[in-house]
Amino acid sequence: MAAQRVAEDVAKGTKQTSRVRVAVRLRPYMHKQDQKGEGACVRRLDTETLEIINWRNATETLQYQFDVFHGEETTQQEVFLSSVKPILPHLLKGQNASVLAYGPTGAGKTHTMLGSQEQPGVIPRAVRGVFNLVKAKEREDEGWDYSIGMSYLEIYNEKVLDLLSPSAQDLPIREDKDRNILIPGLTHTPLSSFSNFHSHFIPASLNRTTASTKLNQRSSRSHAILLIKVVRTQRNPPHRQQTGKLYLVDLAGSEDNRRTGNQGIRLKESGAINLSLFTLSKVVDSLNAGGGGRVPYRDSKLTRLLQDSLGGSSHSVMITNIAPEYTYYFDTFTALNFAAKSKQIVNKPFVRETVTVPSVQVKRSRKEQEAGLSGEPQKK
Ligand code: ADP
Ligand code: MG
């Protein structure tokens, strides 16, 4: 019986859902005065693969493969369409999902999740998408009513703080008899429209704990977690009800705090950040290994909170953000090792594209670049 169920799940493709899809996004090179045009230390090879210089051995590059690799030219819309939009319909069927932005400070997590007015990110696009799906469903699915609501919280120093009601203290995380994770006392705000969402979300974003570190002036030291809840209720008896939860998470920076000169309170924060990100990596590894062993959700607040939305029948994607500049090299390397499905060492030096390459050759076609000619100075 169980075996048959597994076979059906595999046939329907639902067996895959406990995996966390891993996407990597490379932000564009941002030339700063003090970097003297060193060029990038990482670049795209194809839609799943990138290469990075091997600092241990300059005659080699390291190639990493992911479920998807978004190169620096990737737009906000493309990231949304490929990594987020496909999971939204599951919310209306009472399933859970999560989208997490991971990576060092300055690599583009907030750009990916929040974006700007001109280039809105995953959060506004996903919320709009949920409203559109619900509107369409209400027309065709007559026996059911839908409602949408939000909560917004952050985890800072292993404390759960309500961003919609900032005076509240550390909130407890509980699990009900059906194994749903809940936070008693957390503000839940019903939403009537996208603009209604906007009016609650923007002021609450300003409540986030940010502090300056040596590395970045407004480095995020907390995990910001937006929860969008879709409740579907049967109009007639027995009034069945299903809840789908979508977590949209802008994680704290993954940089190594030994390098950022953190002391005192900053060092305590770093300890908490490291604990939760390290636990998150163990949870993702354990889910993706698929061995059915113990998943260490309880080892940090972040993973405990996401327990019913990461793994199981949930739909999760982690977008690892990386930066191409040499100053980020070690953080990029760490982030890639966290995210990679596979890594390969290739005997081929990483040749810098910016050095003495005539402009004609820099503008070679994508096909040629993908054929492995990328950046190799050609003698003529
Ligand atoms: P993080 O949240 O990881 O610290 P940010 O999202 O704040 O990083 O990004 C750092 C800077 O880089 C910001 O000025 C942001 O606008 C810019 N940036 C990040 N990703 C991109 C991108 N894909 N395209 C253009 N600018 C980007
Ligand atoms: Mg940020």
Side-chain angles (χ1 to χ4, degrees):
M1 193 64 190
Q4 190 190 341
R5 168 113 35 92
V6 170
E8 282 169 8
D9 284 349
V10 170
K12 282 187 278 179
T14 49
K15 195 73 196 88
Q16 285 290 314
T17 55
S18 66
R19 268 204 70 222
V20 177
R21 281 188 85 230
V22 179
V24 169
R25 183 183 197 184
L26 174 64
R27 79 148 157 70
Y29 185 86
M30 302 199 307
H31 183 78
K32 296 222 185 78
Q33 229 104 60
D34 59 345
Q35 286 166 353
K36 300 192 200 78
E38 286 172 311
C41 62
V42 48
R43 65 174 157 247
R44 177 187 190 273
L45 289 178
D46 61 43
T47 56
E48 292 181 358
T49 323
L50 64 76
E51 70 173 347
I52 181 170
I53 187 166
N54 186 3
W55 61 280
R56 289 175 199 273
N57 182 346
T59 66
E60 295 171 349
T61 60
L62 300 166
Q63 298 187 354
Y64 287 82
Q65 199 196 355
F66 309 95
D67 293 309
V68 55
F69 176 61
H70 297 298
E72 59 186 314
E73 70 294 340
T74 312
T75 63
Q76 300 282 69
Q77 168 79 343
E78 285 163 348
V79 171
F80 173 70
L81 290 180
S82 102
S83 293
V84 182
K85 194 171 184 233
I87 67 182
L88 300 181
H90 299 291
L91 296 169
L92 280 70
K93 297 183 287 185
Q95 294 180 2
N96 298 339
S98 51
V99 180
L100 299 99
Y102 175 88
T105 297
K109 296 181 297 297
T110 303
H111 180 79
T112 294
M113 295 308 290
L114 188 58
S116 58
Q117 194 109 50
E118 304 76 45
Q119 298 181 58
V122 162
I123 288 174
R125 287 170 200 271
V127 174
R128 223 182 255 286
V130 169
F131 271 102
N132 289 341
L133 285 173
V134 164
K135 244 179 255 159
K137 260 281 191 283
E138 276 172 337
R139 279 196 294 269
E140 74 184 41
D141 195 8
E142 296 215 323
W144 297 79
D145 287 324
Y146 289 83
S147 68
I148 303 173
M150 73 179 279
S151 297
Y152 191 29
L153 62 141
E154 72 176 343
I155 298 181
Y156 171 71
N157 270 345
E158 288 297 278
K159 289 196 182 75
V160 177
L161 306 169
D162 191 342
L163 288 170
L164 293 177
S165 169
S167 58
Q169 325 114 341
D170 189 13
L171 297 168
I173 302 176
R174 300 265 153 76
E175 185 173 346
D176 71 10
K177 60 176 183 1
D178 298 321
R179 309 204 120 191
N180 296 309
I181 301 293
L182 37 103
I183 300 179
L186 180 68
T187 309
H188 175 81
T189 305
L191 298 174
S192 56
S193 64
F194 177 78
S195 62
N196 185 217
F197 160 76
H198 208 253
S199 68
H200 290 289
F201 178 69
I202 298 301
S205 301
L206 303 175
N207 293 328
R208 267 196 84 181
T209 310
T210 49
S212 50
T213 66
K214 229 167 147 184
L215 201 71
N216 188 297
Q217 280 225 310
R218 275 181 68 83
S219 148
S220 297
R221 313 291 291 162
S222 67
H223 311 295
I225 303 172
L226 172 66
L227 167 60
I228 300 294
K229 234 188 218 183
V230 180
V231 181
R232 178 176 187 247
T233 313
Q234 210 174 19
R235 217 166 279 161
N236 297 317
H239 300 294
R240 271 172 53 213
Q241 199 168 64
Q242 294 175 335
T243 301
K245 296 195 286 184
L246 170 65
Y247 283 102
L248 299 164
V249 186
D250 186 345
L251 292 166
S254 64
E255 58 272 8
D256 182 349
N257 64 72
R258 281 169 302 188
R259 222 169 31 75
T260 52
N262 292 325
Q263 288 177 329
I265 181 74
R266 295 286 94 88
L267 192 62
K268 188 178 169 216
E269 289 173 353
S270 296
I273 293 167
N274 290 348
L275 169 76
S276 52
L277 294 180
F278 179 60
T279 307
L280 177 65
S281 87
K282 285 194 295 184
V283 165
V284 171
D285 277 349
S286 157
L287 291 170
N288 288 358
R294 178 185 165 270
V295 183
Y297 291 112
R298 285 173 179 266
D299 293 359
S300 78
K301 292 275 175 79
L302 174 71
T303 49
R304 177 68 174 144
L305 179 71
L306 296 174
Q307 178 162 351
D308 62 359
S309 313
L310 210 54
S313 59
S314 308
H315 307 265
S316 327
V317 57
M318 190 172 65
I319 305 174
T320 299
N321 291 267
I322 56 170
E325 296 88 4
Y326 274 82
T327 44
Y328 284 87
Y329 180 82
F330 287 101
D331 291 328
T332 301
F333 194 61
T334 310
L336 291 173
N337 286 329
F338 172 96
K341 190 161 69 176
S342 73
K343 174 170 78 171
Q344 199 189 356
I345 296 173
V346 175
N347 274 316
K348 169 174 147 304
F350 187 97
V351 181
R352 293 190 197 172
E353 288 178 77
T354 50
V355 186
T356 64
V357 183
S359 57
V360 183
Q361 289 174 7
V362 173
K363 286 189 184 142
R364 277 166 304 161
S365 72
R366 168 82 61 219
K367 271 220 173 73
E368 284 175 291
Q369 288 180 32
E370 283 173 3
L373 299 170
S374 181
E376 306 220 6
Q378 293 175 350
K379 292 190 198 95
K380 272 223 162 123

